[in-house]
């Protein structure tokens, strides 16, 4: 158990819909990372927050947004979903920037 | 953005064999991490290497960091079926981004 909790574990939704993925980091960790993993693209960095502030952005689509709340949990919002958004979405946390990251079990999103 | 290239992409071996997988970059790593991921699970951190030339051992796994800190290798001795998984290297630069390579998918057959 990494100490990082992601909910829900599975999500099936229709194209055009909006979903919210939730992540609770390990106790005391200030950094939260979001990644998308698909078979052909590997683990793609989306966005990172440190102590409530956005600090790094990867190839995150404009339809996607995230935030980190004062209690340090984070949410990833995906809107106007397309079939190609189907993937595993991982959240990870670390104590500081670029230190060892601990991953949650992921949310498997299926867009039908 | 620092790009990490991992090789080989796929590796299938028999139980008891030795293997080495590689992680390379054109840029200098500030530090490098190795993770293992099993199907449907999140990556799990194996080790972090920081100093050029550093060697770390974790049971049958030996991790080496190149002297110039641009490359790293993972050597597994006497592989077992339980070693099967996706091996990922990752590095962060001066920014907050933690970038992963595409990984080496290892299958160890009994």
């Amino acid at each position: 158990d990494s100490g990082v909790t992601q909910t829900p574990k599975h999500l099936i939704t229709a194209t055009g819909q909006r979903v919210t993925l939730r992540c609770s980091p390990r106790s005391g960790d200030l950094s939260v990372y979001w990644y998308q993993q698909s078979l052909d693209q590997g683990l793609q960095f989306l966005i990172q927050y440190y102590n409530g502030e956005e600090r790094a952005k990867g190839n995150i689509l404009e339809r996607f947004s995230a935030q980190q709340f004062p209690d340090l949990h984070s949410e990833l919002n995906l809107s106007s979903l397309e079939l190609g958004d189907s993937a595993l979405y991982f959240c990870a946390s670390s104590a500081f920037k670029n230190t060892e990251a601990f991953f949650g079990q992921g949310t498997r999103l299926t867009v039908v | 953005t620092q790009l990490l290239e991992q090789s080989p992409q796929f590796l299938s071996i028999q139980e008891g064999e030795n293997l080495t997988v590689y992680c390379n970059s054109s840029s200098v790593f500030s530090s490098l991490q190795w993770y293992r991921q099993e199907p449907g699970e999140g990556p799990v951190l194996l080790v972090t290497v920081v100093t050029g030339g550093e060697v770390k051992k974790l049971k049958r796994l030996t991790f080496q960091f190149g002297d110039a800190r641009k490359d790293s290798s993972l050597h597994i001795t006497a592989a077992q079926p339980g070693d099967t998984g996706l091996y990922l290297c990752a590095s962060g630069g001066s920014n907050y981004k933690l970038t992963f390579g595409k990984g080496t998918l290892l299958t160890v057959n009994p």
Side-chain angles (χ1 to χ4, degrees):
Chain A
D1 183 5
S2 68
V4 178
T5 304
Q6 283 189 252
T7 56
K9 191 157 186 183
H10 301 277
L11 197 49
I12 302 174
T13 189
T15 54
Q17 294 298 304
R18 173 188 167 97
V19 297
T20 296
L21 312 184
R22 183 187 168 98
C23 171
S24 294
R26 288 190 320 158
S27 177
D29 282 358
L30 299 179
S31 275
V32 169
Y33 307 83
W34 285 98
Y35 290 86
Q36 179 192 59
Q37 188 176 40
S38 54
L39 281 174
D40 56 342
Q41 291 295 322
L43 204 58
Q44 295 288 307
F45 171 76
L46 294 177
I47 198 163
Q48 191 240 352
Y49 285 84
Y50 180 79
N51 202 20
E53 292 186 21
E54 180 187 308
R55 289 304 180 102
K57 221 168 184 176
N59 298 324
I60 186 167
L61 299 172
E62 284 189 12
R63 300 183 286 109
F64 297 180
S65 64
Q67 53 184 333
Q68 185 179 29
F69 295 87
D71 67 353
L72 300 178
H73 93 270
S74 179
E75 292 181 356
L76 179 67
N77 300 296
L78 314 175
S79 61
S80 303
L81 285 166
E82 302 175 359
L83 295 178
D85 298 327
S86 296
L88 267 169
Y89 290 84
F90 286 104
C91 163
S93 74
S94 68
F96 304 104
K97 65 168 184 171
N98 294 334
T99 55
E100 291 92 344
F102 294 85
F103 281 77
Q105 292 211 306
T107 294
R108 181 174 292 281
L109 173 67
T110 303
V111 183
V112 297
Chain B
T1 302
Q2 185 165 36
L3 294 176
L4 283 71
E5 293 186 5
Q6 291 192 246
S7 60
Q9 192 176 352
F10 301 98
L11 189 56
S12 180
I13 61 171
Q14 293 301 120
E15 184 175 0
E17 292 183 1
N18 301 332
L19 66 113
T20 303
V21 299
Y22 301 92
C23 177
N24 296 285
S25 173
S26 57
S27 308
V28 173
F29 296 119
S30 54
S31 66
L32 188 107
Q33 298 155 22
W34 284 95
Y35 294 78
R36 186 174 81 193
Q37 184 179 20
E38 298 187 17
E41 302 289 328
V44 175
L45 178 70
L46 296 173
V47 78
T48 299
V49 286
V50 178
T51 307
E54 184 176 4
V55 177
K56 281 192 174 178
K57 293 194 175 184
L58 188 65
K59 296 182 182 178
R60 293 174 295 99
L61 278 60
T62 302
F63 303 86
Q64 192 155 2
F65 203 16
D67 291 340
R69 292 189 293 133
K70 288 187 175 183
D71 58 275
S72 181
S73 63
L74 159 57
H75 181 80
I76 301 179
T77 303
Q80 299 176 0
D83 296 326
T84 293
L86 179 66
Y87 288 82
L88 296 157
C89 64
S91 183
S94 57
N95 56 25
Y96 286 75
K97 209 168 168 178
L98 184 61
T99 304
F100 283 79
K102 289 200 171 183
T104 293
L105 185 60
L106 172 65
T107 303
V108 182
N109 302 298

